[in-house]
Amino acid sequence: MTRIVVTRRPPGSAVERLENAGTVWTWPEDRALPRDRLLAEIREADGLLCMLTDSIDTDVLDAAPRLRAISTMAVGTDNIDLVACTRRGIAVGHTPDVLTEATADMAFALLLSAARRVVEGVDYVKAGKWQRWEPALLLGAQVHATTLGIIGLGRIGTAVAKRAVGFEMQVRYSSRSRRPQVEAALGVEHRTLQALLEEADHVLVACPLTAETHHLIGKDAFRRMKPTATLTNIARGAIVDPRALEWALRTGEIAAAALDVTDPEPIPPDDPLLTLPNCVVVPHLGSATVATRIAMADLAAENLIAGLRGDPMPACANPEVYRRQERR
């Protein structure tokens, strides 16, 4: 009998769909599956549906000799050793596309919150400080007709660029490869990272986390940015050096930041970033709409079911695994 391990119960009916493909064990608690329990449950598993909070490394793979397919309810796969999975013939599914629009909405919500000091305003009212209208109260940065710099023009970065057009923003992007079709369709312009940081009024991080992008945004990057600029990160927390960000916000190297993701994640409650009024932090809510999370769970289930059948996954993060299988 096929055994499937689910590390956290997703919304919707994904687990019920998996039950038609085998015996399903689901972690019953409303917290991340502890490492020791994962290693214990994975030993007899044929399939694994995991979350971005689960580290699927060689120790986990070594503990699961029967494992044939992995599916993560996320776009990013930086928590999974894809090279090791491919070497072992394990297909890894992920969930691109279905969360693009929701995440782009959140990116703009955070950008606007940082620029227009929305959270500071909420706190000001709740503290009973709002006694009268004042002409210079909590003045923020303009968003309309300013320059947006997007680091990583993938699906989400492109969706944010489309929204920026509605704000009549000048959009610049930096990416590993040029996107001529997007440039033509939206009027966006390519820049080197250094030039983008110097030119942008608002910088959005939307690139994948890799060895090259780890702490890509550090002190050198902040020194290049305008003192009036904002930074928004909706990608992965470790792309931004948190201590460099704290320094930049305290010293006025940049004006404000908004983070959907942190390094580490979750952010410790005593982290100094949480004491700064010009830093907005939310708990990784980019794809957090009911419809999107259900769609992610459904696609994750479809990926896993296909992988267990030996069929190509609808969204495979390591498609080279199929070429390796064909050569055998």
Side-chain angles (χ1 to χ4, degrees):
M1 175 66 75
T2 298
R3 185 171 193 268
I4 299 168
V5 169
V6 179
T7 64
R8 197 84 175 268
R9 186 176 185 90
S13 59
V15 170
E16 286 72 22
R17 296 174 67 181
L18 290 173
E19 287 173 346
N20 293 322
T23 301
V24 179
W25 179 88
T26 304
W27 172 239
E29 298 186 29
D30 190 21
R31 61 187 178 98
L33 176 63
R35 175 79 171 182
D36 58 346
R37 191 66 184 273
L38 172 61
L39 290 170
E41 296 296 337
I42 200 73
R43 296 188 186 283
E44 302 298 322
D46 301 281
L48 171 68
L49 194 154
C50 64
M51 307 293 153
L52 58 84
T53 50
D54 303 307
S55 177
I56 310 303
D57 54 19
T58 53
D59 288 342
V60 173
L61 299 176
D62 286 343
R66 289 174 43 179
L67 197 62
R68 291 182 279 131
I70 296 172
S71 185
T72 181
M73 194 176 131
V75 175
T77 56
D78 47 280
N79 60 313
I80 301 172
D81 190 333
L82 285 183
V83 173
C85 288
T86 303
R87 189 166 54 241
R88 297 167 192 237
I90 300 172
V92 178
H94 64 149
T95 59
D97 296 325
V98 293
L99 52 67
T100 297
E101 302 303 332
T103 306
D105 284 348
M106 177 57 76
F108 237 91
L110 288 172
L111 188 160
L112 288 165
S113 294
R116 296 301 305 273
R117 304 175 69 176
V118 172
V119 175
E120 288 181 77
V122 171
D123 291 342
Y124 188 86
V125 173
K126 287 185 176 180
K129 296 179 180 179
W130 189 25
Q131 302 299 319
R132 58 192 174 277
W133 180 86
E134 297 178 31
L137 176 64
L138 293 173
L139 299 182
Q142 189 84 356
V143 174
H144 171 258
T146 58
T147 299
L148 173 63
I150 302 176
I151 302 173
L153 199 68
R155 295 179 182 89
I156 294 170
T158 300
V160 173
K162 291 178 181 177
R163 287 156 175 75
V165 170
F167 281 77
E168 298 184 341
M169 300 179 85
Q170 310 295 318
V171 181
R172 310 291 183 254
Y173 79 96
S174 131
S175 189
R176 287 179 298 181
S177 56
R178 294 286 293 268
R179 300 291 302 280
Q181 291 182 327
V182 180
E183 291 177 22
L186 300 179
V188 305
E189 297 181 13
H190 182 266
R191 295 287 189 272
T192 65
L193 176 61
Q194 292 74 18
L196 179 149
L197 293 170
E198 292 168 359
E199 189 175 347
D201 298 297
H202 306 284
V203 175
L204 173 77
V205 179
C207 60
L209 175 61
T210 65
E212 291 74 27
T213 62
H214 182 267
H215 286 188
L216 176 69
I217 308 301
K219 280 193 174 183
D220 289 344
F222 289 122
R223 287 190 180 103
R224 291 182 180 272
M225 291 172 65
K226 299 177 181 180
T228 54
T230 70
L231 175 80
T232 300
N233 186 5
I234 48 89
R236 286 291 185 264
I239 299 170
V240 177
D241 181 341
R243 301 288 65 88
L245 175 60
E246 179 194 351
W247 165 82
L249 292 170
R250 286 191 188 279
T251 61
E253 206 65 38
I254 66 170
L259 310 175
D260 187 40
V261 289
T262 59
D263 180 24
E265 189 172 308
I267 191 170
D270 60 350
D271 192 292
L273 284 172
L274 299 180
T275 68
L276 302 179
N278 55 346
C279 187
V280 176
V281 182
V282 297
H284 206 146
L285 299 177
S287 62
T289 71
V290 173
T292 298
R293 289 284 171 86
I294 289 176
M296 291 170 67
D298 287 344
L299 179 53
E302 289 174 20
N303 283 332
L304 192 57
I305 291 168
L308 290 171
R309 285 198 308 253
D311 296 335
M313 293 179 169
C316 185
N318 61 338
E320 60 272 22
V321 74
Y322 301 124
R323 293 190 288 272
R324 288 176 60 93
Q325 291 170 357
E326 289 171 358
R327 290 196 295 266
R328 290 177 181 174

